[in-house]
Amino acid sequence: MTAATRPSAGADEGRPTHTPVEDQAASPTGDTGSAETRRSARSGVAGLLGAATSGLFGFVLAVVITRGYGTTGAGAFFAAIGVVTVATAICTLGAETGLMWALPRRTAGPRGDAARVLPVALIPPLLTALVVAGAGVLAADALAPRLLGNSLTNGEALLTATFAAVPVVVAMTLLLAALRCVRPIRAYVGVQFLLLPVARPVLVGAAALAGGGLLAGMTGWLVPAALALLACLTLVAGPLGLGRGAALRPHRADWSTFWRFALPRAASAAIDAGNMWIGVLLTSVLAGPSDAGVFGAVGRYVLAGQLAMQGLRVAVSPQLSRLLGRGERAAAAAVHRQLTTWGLVLSWPVYLLLAVFALAFLQLFGPEFTAGVPAMTVLALAMLVNTGVGNVQSLLLMGGRSGLHLVATVAGLTVTVSLGLWLIPRYGATGAAVAWAAGIATENLTAAGFARSVVREPLFDAAMVRAAAATIAGVGLAAGAGVLVGGRGLPGLAVALAVLLTGCVGMLTLPRVRAGIRGTMRQIRGGDNAAAAAPTSASTRGR
């Protein structure tokens, strides 16, 4: 990587320093760790609320697909989603992360230079998407039996529609990244976490109820992407000054600076977005659509539990880009520690319950999906590592170290695919889960080591250890009570949730807990006394 993309650099190589798109009123030298953690708290809460809504409706979508199409049909449906997801991740060429990194370091508005990034970021991915879509449509007849199984009568039409939609989904993905940088986070939440996840189960469910088959269902899954694209176009145009005199012709340095960052991210973005779906596709090819359906259903739960971290990541990524671009590593590390603690407390109970009560959760999809219990347990435990290290990938990417992030993701993918080719033919969905779990641990631990060496500030502290221990103890007691009373099925899960809810209500009576909640609320509101409850300042190294 060049000096222009290192976190210590104050400006990008080849162009002057600009006021960031976000928080342009802030003084570059006046931000403290406490101010940054207050800002991240407000953004983080918005991201978490949106992620919670997205997770709820994502679960509803999974129920609609599994109940409406059975194991074989759901396997084909999840494989088609995997195709468009992996193809989109490849075609974006890392430009969505590049926009998240570049726009906060530029000036918005008709006289700003932020709009110049759009042609740089959009043209190569869209051309790539058109080529991939055309090739996919032409090859659909040959690919359908391999990816979707020979039992489907309309597999070719399903794959054709899937590939044809790739350019639309690519454009939507890129404009969503721009939207996050130029509008308040509630605009991003409204499109990414409300419009898409709410519309999809409604349209897919309507198709299933009408007996429209897999093609109609997949169309219902794809249509919201077109609606989200139109919404993003409308919301991005104003802040960037499009149509009001903003310059759209990029300089030569804009191309080189942007793509030096984005191209290493292109491969890692495809791996990140496609990790689960690569497992689904491998399982479909090596073990059949039925096992792929089971693995896809398990994966929906695993990804739903990760939404808290996703909500926090998209909330603060532009802020991390701005801080690391200025060389304010201590403030960036303080933001990371705070949000990792939040993510841990919110995500670990989900994964611990998924591990213990996998049978109960999979029974909601139907009895044929309970074969995925071992896979669910393995993946839920692996996700404790993923969420425990926090968004270390964001620290690498927003610090401009996309090359190191690529190394971590390639290491994880190598482990996943190598083990998958060995385990899936013999163990089906369980083998796919073991392979993916090993890849998750490899990628996240490698990225955590890289992030620590880049930021050169503590990424973990005693507060995180205490939060982890308290979470394991509390959820462990509730889960133990549930298993003793009702087993690992739905009755046991109900008991565990009741015990957990009772314990949470009881904790609200503790003065220390109430004081912590009041401090967090002051951070979110940004009140006058917020600084008293915030972490240390940016001038303090670590804590």
Side-chain angles (χ1 to χ4, degrees):
M1 304 300 293
T2 66
T5 59
R6 289 173 184 162
S8 59
D12 291 329
E13 184 179 16
R15 62 177 176 81
T17 305
H18 294 281
T19 307
V21 171
E22 283 201 353
D23 193 33
Q24 294 184 20
S27 168
T29 60
D31 279 328
T32 63
S34 59
E36 295 299 341
T37 51
R38 289 198 301 275
R39 186 176 293 113
S40 67
R42 293 192 292 273
S43 297
V45 167
L48 286 173
L49 292 175
T53 304
S54 180
L56 172 62
F57 284 94
F59 171 74
V60 172
L61 175 62
V63 172
V64 168
I65 293 173
T66 53
R67 290 286 186 178
Y69 298 103
T71 53
T72 301
F77 203 120
F78 287 136
I81 295 175
V83 168
V84 72
T85 302
V86 174
T88 298
I90 292 171
C91 292
T92 54
L93 304 178
E96 79 284 12
T97 307
L99 284 167
M100 198 84 74
W101 169 75
L103 285 177
R105 305 177 183 216
R106 290 175 174 257
T107 305
R111 297 186 178 182
D113 62 345
R116 293 205 319 254
V117 179
L118 287 184
V120 175
L122 290 175
I123 292 174
L126 288 177
L127 291 176
T128 305
L130 290 171
V131 172
V132 169
V137 168
L138 294 176
D141 289 350
L143 290 174
R146 298 175 182 273
L147 293 178
L148 307 179
N150 294 313
S151 59
L152 293 179
T153 58
N154 60 345
E156 296 84 359
L158 180 62
L159 268 190
T160 298
T162 298
F163 277 112
V166 168
V168 175
V169 181
V170 167
M172 178 204 71
T173 301
L174 296 175
L175 289 178
L176 271 171
L179 175 63
R180 173 61 195 99
C181 295
V182 302
R183 288 276 189 180
I185 189 173
R186 60 180 177 271
Y188 178 91
V189 168
V191 178
Q192 174 70 18
F193 290 148
L194 293 178
L195 173 60
L196 285 171
V198 172
R200 278 174 170 161
V202 171
L203 296 179
V204 174
L209 289 174
L214 285 173
L215 179 59
M218 190 63 190
T219 303
W221 190 87
L222 291 170
V223 164
L227 299 177
L229 173 60
L230 294 176
C232 289
L233 280 171
T234 303
L235 292 169
V236 165
L240 290 180
L242 302 181
R244 296 187 292 118
L248 284 172
R249 179 174 294 180
H251 297 169
R252 180 175 298 180
D254 294 328
W255 290 90
S256 59
T257 300
F258 185 89
W259 287 107
R260 270 202 307 270
F261 171 85
L263 282 179
R265 174 58 177 155
S268 61
I271 296 169
D272 283 344
N275 259 330
M276 171 195 161
W277 302 111
I278 289 171
V280 171
L281 296 174
L282 280 176
T283 306
S284 181
V285 171
L286 298 176
S290 181
D291 273 281
V294 171
F295 183 71
V298 169
R300 299 305 295 181
Y301 275 120
V302 171
L303 294 181
Q306 199 177 11
L307 281 171
M309 297 301 293
Q310 179 187 350
L312 293 172
R313 180 175 66 251
V314 300
V316 301
S317 287
Q319 182 184 2
L320 289 175
S321 174
R322 173 170 51 80
L323 291 172
L324 293 172
R326 294 175 182 168
E328 297 180 21
R329 294 188 296 269
V335 169
H336 171 82
R337 289 192 297 266
Q338 172 177 270
L339 296 188
T340 299
T341 303
W342 285 21
L344 185 152
V345 170
L346 292 170
S347 298
W348 277 25
V350 175
Y351 288 122
L352 291 170
L353 291 175
L354 286 175
V356 176
F357 297 104
L359 176 63
F361 286 103
L362 290 172
Q363 283 175 336
L364 297 175
F365 290 154
E368 64 270 33
F369 288 91
T370 57
V373 167
M376 175 90 86
T377 301
V378 168
L379 284 173
L381 295 176
M383 293 304 290
L384 297 179
V385 178
N386 188 351
T387 52
V389 300
N391 284 317
V392 288
Q393 290 89 347
S394 292
L395 284 176
L396 288 175
L397 291 171
M398 295 302 102
R401 307 306 296 269
S402 53
L404 291 178
H405 183 266
L406 175 60
V407 172
T409 53
V410 168
L413 177 66
T414 302
V415 171
T416 298
V417 174
S418 300
L419 288 178
L421 293 173
W422 176 40
L423 295 174
I424 291 173
R426 184 172 181 180
Y427 299 104
T430 302
V434 172
W436 190 19
I440 289 170
T442 300
E443 177 183 344
N444 281 276
L445 293 177
T446 304
F450 286 155
R452 178 65 179 86
S453 66
V454 168
V455 178
R456 299 198 296 274
E457 295 286 342
L459 302 182
F460 306 93
D461 58 12
M464 293 171 59
V465 175
R466 290 193 298 269
T471 301
I472 292 173
V475 177
L477 289 173
V483 171
L484 289 175
V485 174
R488 297 180 183 269
L490 289 172
L493 175 61
V495 171
L497 291 175
V499 172
L500 199 57
L501 179 60
T502 302
C504 291
V505 172
M507 288 182 64
L508 294 177
T509 64
L510 300 177
R512 184 174 181 179
V513 173
R514 293 201 303 270
I517 293 174
R518 286 195 296 269
T520 301
M521 293 306 297
R522 283 196 295 269
Q523 284 185 314
I524 295 169
R525 291 193 300 265
D528 295 337
N529 297 324
T536 56
S537 68
S539 61
T540 303
R541 299 188 62 82
R543 63 172 181 167

